[in-house]
Amino acid sequence: MNTGKAKPKKKNNRSIFYRISAWLHLWLGLASGIVIVIICLTGITWSFRDEIKDWLNPDLKVEYIPGKRMLNPGDLYEKGKALYPDQEVSFVWRPTGKAAMVGFGKRNTGFILFLDPYTGEIIRKPSFKKEFDFFEWTLRGHRFLWLPSEIGRPVINYSTFIFFITLLSGLVLWWPKKWTKAMRKQSFSVKWDAKTKRLNYDVHNVFGFYSMIILLVVAMTGMYYGLPWFNKFLYFTTSLGKKAPAERQELKNTAPYQPEKLPESIHLAWEDAVKKVDAKGYYLSVPKDSAETIGLFLYPSHRQFYNLQSFTYDRNTGEYLSNSSAHASSFEQADFAVKVQKLNYDLHVGSALGGIWGRILYFFITLIGASLPITGFLVWWFKKKKK
């Protein structure tokens, strides 16, 4: 029998901490959801760029040959200058497993000459046509949302920070109030034969829990690149209170730049560096003006970068210059805080967990990450619709 009296409001017996977590999870998730979907989808696309490019361009694939020495990048530099004397070489790059590249102009907007890293034979000449690069397009979306850097970068960086908070608050919401058998089953498994509302809730709740640790790692390593304050905080905590060293070393030699000596300096720099590292690939940055040095990065592993080593040399003499960057020392010799810095990229893309297999694992986990804002929105929508 209906007495006409309003039903008493259900008392919320959850803690303040839980209610704050629920509020943050809902509104921060709604505010950043679209950006997180874009970050996740563009990230997994970029992660497999090298494998896809190998498949599309088999002529540019040059495997590492154990025991055979690669040509000095100074030789490739001179070959590029001889072919295009009016163009400025900006880098010489031999990614592991690929042809060496002599780059002219800026890295993403110039043009590239492809050479065999062992023989110097020309594999492909530049077309000099402006071509659409799908992977560079996805990278711009991943870093800037296809917006100007000064606008898009902060949006991406702080959306990643928000995602980090929503993951932690999601764990609070997931945590069972009582660890009964029924609650454990609900928290750890999806009821696939349930109706749409319940199924969506289970997918969001259960998949979010299982993918949380890796998604937290992806978010933290992304913040390392985008948020200087987080970078400093991470180094401070992992080094037990130390201040992070400056990444760029000061030039010791300020003599006037002598471009005619650059090829010989590159030769000397390479001969010195390969005595210290057994490299499968390298990246050489060519000085653009009188204030820059020769930067040489050597890759001991295939498509893993935690153990790369960087070397800096004088542009006129090829003399080694001191370098205080994280990659100046070997991974084995680095302390724990520097090892965390060195591992950051490989942890971000998954290659730290078994190379290609780690990236495949990350592919599926990041797909779940992309789905969380969508299933989370539907959880909110169904509740709102019911009310």
Side-chain angles (χ1 to χ4, degrees), residues 71-112:
L71 282 178
N72 192 304
D75 295 329
L76 304 182
Y77 169 86
E78 291 184 287
K79 190 157 191 172
K81 285 295 288 182
L83 283 170
Y84 305 103
D86 297 330
Q87 301 290 337
E88 288 299 319
V89 176
S90 54
F91 64 86
V92 182
W93 185 15
R94 192 289 211 247
T96 56
K98 288 189 174 184
M101 296 179 275
V102 177
F104 300 86
K106 293 183 179 180
R107 179 168 166 179
N108 295 328
T109 58
F111 60 92
I112 295 174

Side-chain angles (χ1 to χ4, degrees), residues 306-309 326-334 338-339 342:
Y306 73 94
N307 58 351
L308 75 82
Q309 278 191 252
H327 292 289
S329 59
S330 67
F331 183 80
E332 292 73 20
Q333 295 173 337
V338 175
K339 282 181 178 176
K342 285 173 170 284

